[in-house]
Amino acid sequence: NEIQLGDKHFIVYSNNQHTGDQGGNEAEVCQLGEGDAFTGMTHYWQIPKHGLGMTSDTGTRIHCISKEYVKDANGKLACNLLVFKTMNGMGLYQIAEDGFNPGGVKAVNAAPAAVITVNGGIITVSATASSIAIYNVAGQLVSMVKNASQVAAPANGLYIVKAVVNGQSIVKKVVL
């Protein structure tokens, strides 16, 4: 991915597969050299610092790096970077135009709007959700309630629960 923040141009690229010793599955963030050349580029960050994990992806070789331009907390241009590596995890990071600092990449760890828990056959959301949807492992909707904080599970099994609280989606796998 290429990123432009003000007059600074960056490139973000996948570094390696799992290595077994120093982490693995990292993405590298570099500022391009003069004239947007690879020659003279400056390496700033490895995200995550110690890699996403060391699990073999069994040959799928999928390492996604996605970007989205946003405004930071000060209303200045920023870029959110989502990195995902099959079977290893994902991370969300932000580089901001305002106050650019080579040590200034930050993980975006917004607290979820609510938490989903299970107690017996009851699925509970810690805040009132505009909707709570329960899907089976095939992705079929098996139950849905609106404007609630609890729902009875349809039966014992493995489900994916999606609750929408204050416009934010919270998703959790649950076993009953």
Side-chain angles (χ1 to χ4, degrees):
N1 260 310
E2 296 176 20
I3 298 169
Q4 180 175 349
L5 293 172
D7 62 349
K8 295 176 179 23
H9 299 123
F10 300 87
I11 187 167
V12 183
Y13 62 92
S14 176
N15 183 8
N16 62 23
Q17 293 294 322
H18 62 285
T19 61
D21 58 353
Q22 296 292 321
N25 302 310
E26 306 92 4
E28 305 294 336
V29 181
C30 300
Q31 183 176 350
L32 292 172
E34 186 175 328
D36 292 338
F38 291 126
T39 305
M41 75 178 177
T42 303
H43 179 269
Y44 282 121
W45 307 287
Q46 175 177 295
I47 53 176
K49 185 175 181 180
H50 300 292
L52 282 171
M54 295 185 291
T55 301
S56 171
D57 62 10
T58 66
T60 58
R61 304 290 188 257
I62 296 173
H63 191 167
C64 299
I65 303 169
S66 180
K67 69 180 178 188
E68 173 189 34
Y69 288 103
V70 297
K71 298 288 184 179
D72 70 4
N74 299 316
K76 299 291 185 177
L77 181 63
C79 183
N80 286 343
L81 291 171
L82 173 70
V83 293
F84 169 81
K85 177 63 176 151
T86 303
M87 299 181 171
N88 285 275
M90 69 178 162
L92 180 62
Y93 301 87
Q94 186 176 86
I95 302 171
E97 175 184 32
D98 188 38
F100 172 76
N101 175 347
V105 69
K106 67 176 184 174
V108 178
N109 294 321
V115 176
I116 298 170
T117 57
V118 177
N119 188 5
I122 303 294
I123 297 168
T124 303
V125 180
S126 63
T128 300
S130 57
S131 67
I132 304 172
I134 302 174
Y135 299 89
N136 64 19
V137 292
Q140 299 166 318
L141 179 66
V142 295
S143 181
M144 177 180 261
V145 296
K146 296 206 178 260
N147 299 316
S149 61
Q150 289 187 336
V151 61
N156 286 341
L158 176 64
Y159 297 97
I160 299 165
V161 178
K162 178 182 176 186
V164 178
V165 177
N166 296 327
Q168 183 181 2
S169 293
I170 300 99
V171 179
K172 182 174 183 175
K173 293 180 211 171
V174 298
V175 178
L176 301 166

